[in-house]
Amino acid sequence: MSDILGSKPAVFNVAQMGNPVLRIPAEPVTAEEVGDKSTTFLIDSMIATMREHSGAGLAAPQVHVSKQIVVIEAHSNPRYQNKEDIPLTVLLNPKITKFSEELEEGWEGCLSLKGLWGKVKRSTAVTVQALTLDGRDIEIKAEGFFAIVLQHEIDHLYGKLFVDRMDDISSLSFTDEHNRYSAD
Ligand code: NI
């Protein structure tokens, strides 16, 4: 294989709602794929793409790759002001093993539903089992914004979008109107 890309990540085009890749279940990452060159390039490029678009997370199907990989990060994110920071987290084959019974409704957006925001009810805490970049088993117990982002991103791996989770579609808003009338 040639090395025209070197080690530099790429910024990918983000698949938008209506693209079938967002609606099919993603395949698990295999043991052979963990840590290999193309998986590393994909993950580095997902991180670059998430940062370029000020996302708090990104799932591989959003960059047209139907694989169970999510990246999450938030540092003073302009799309999510007043939310706590989340350190860069890369998860392969993540599964939510526990959902809190307690639910909370909050505003969500998605890089695949550009310019749209809606209110979604989610568990306030979750436990997630996954593999790290280098194939180690980890368990994460998350609450608050991190728990919400984990649920949103892992939904992408099952072909689910936040609009599917809305109890009441009437809160669906465009960014300008959302910022003007309903941002929390
Ligand atoms: Ni999303």
Side-chain angles (χ1 to χ4, degrees), residues 98-130:
K98 211 163 158 189
F99 291 88
S100 67
E101 277 177 35
E102 190 194 346
L103 305 175
E104 196 173 60
E105 194 172 57
W107 286 100
E108 291 188 25
C110 179
L111 297 181
S112 293
L113 284 79
K114 212 153 86 187
L116 286 174
W117 298 84
K119 275 190 173 176
V120 183
K121 215 177 273 169
R122 304 257 192 200
S123 290
T124 56
V126 289
T127 303
V128 172
Q129 285 180 351

Side-chain angles (χ1 to χ4, degrees), residues 57-59 62 108-113 152-153 156 160-162:
L58 194 70
Q62 294 183 273
E108 291 188 25
C110 179
L111 297 181
S112 293
L113 284 79
H152 176 118
E153 298 311 329
H156 276 297
K160 288 246 172 243
L161 301 174
F162 81 78

Side-chain angles (χ1 to χ4, degrees), residues 2-180:
S2 79
D3 198 20
I4 192 168
L5 295 165
S7 57
K8 281 187 79 172
V11 172
F12 293 134
N13 196 15
V14 179
Q16 295 298 299
M17 181 168 62
N19 189 316
V21 73
L22 296 173
R23 292 307 200 169
I24 56 174
E27 296 290 326
V29 179
T30 64
E32 297 73 51
E33 287 165 340
V34 171
D36 80 6
K37 206 172 164 183
S38 71
T39 305
T40 304
F41 174 73
L42 171 63
I43 291 168
D44 288 348
S45 299
M46 286 173 62
I47 294 166
T49 302
M50 168 177 69
R51 288 176 176 164
E52 172 72 18
H53 298 287
S54 300
L58 194 70
Q62 294 183 273
V63 293
H64 313 261
V65 179
S66 194
K67 279 280 170 184
Q68 295 177 18
I69 303 173
V70 304
V71 299
I72 294 173
E73 182 185 50
H75 294 294
S76 316
N77 189 313
R79 276 167 57 88
Y80 294 95
Q81 285 163 18
N82 315 319
K83 299 290 188 192
E84 61 265 40
D85 286 357
I86 305 170
L88 179 62
T89 305
V90 177
L91 300 174
L92 314 182
N93 304 342
K95 299 259 176 322
I96 299 180
T97 54
K98 211 163 158 189
F99 291 88
S100 67
E101 277 177 35
E102 190 194 346
L103 305 175
E104 196 173 60
E105 194 172 57
W107 286 100
E108 291 188 25
C110 179
L111 297 181
S112 293
L113 284 79
K114 212 153 86 187
L116 286 174
W117 298 84
K119 275 190 173 176
V120 183
K121 215 177 273 169
R122 304 257 192 200
S123 290
T124 56
V126 289
T127 303
V128 172
Q129 285 180 351
L131 295 178
T132 59
L133 267 183
D134 46 0
R136 283 175 299 114
D137 284 305
I138 50 159
E139 185 175 82
I140 296 175
K141 290 180 193 297
E143 52 183 38
F145 187 45
F146 192 18
I148 304 300
V149 178
L150 280 164
Q151 290 168 81
H152 176 118
E153 298 311 329
I154 293 171
D155 263 358
H156 276 297
L157 305 181
Y158 294 91
K160 288 246 172 243
L161 301 174
F162 81 78
V163 283
D164 308 336
R165 299 286 188 200
M166 293 175 69
D167 292 331
D168 178 358
I169 204 81
S170 72
S171 69
L172 197 65
S173 308
F174 292 111
T175 300
D176 284 351
E177 286 69 18
H178 169 67
N179 291 342
R180 187 163 171 194

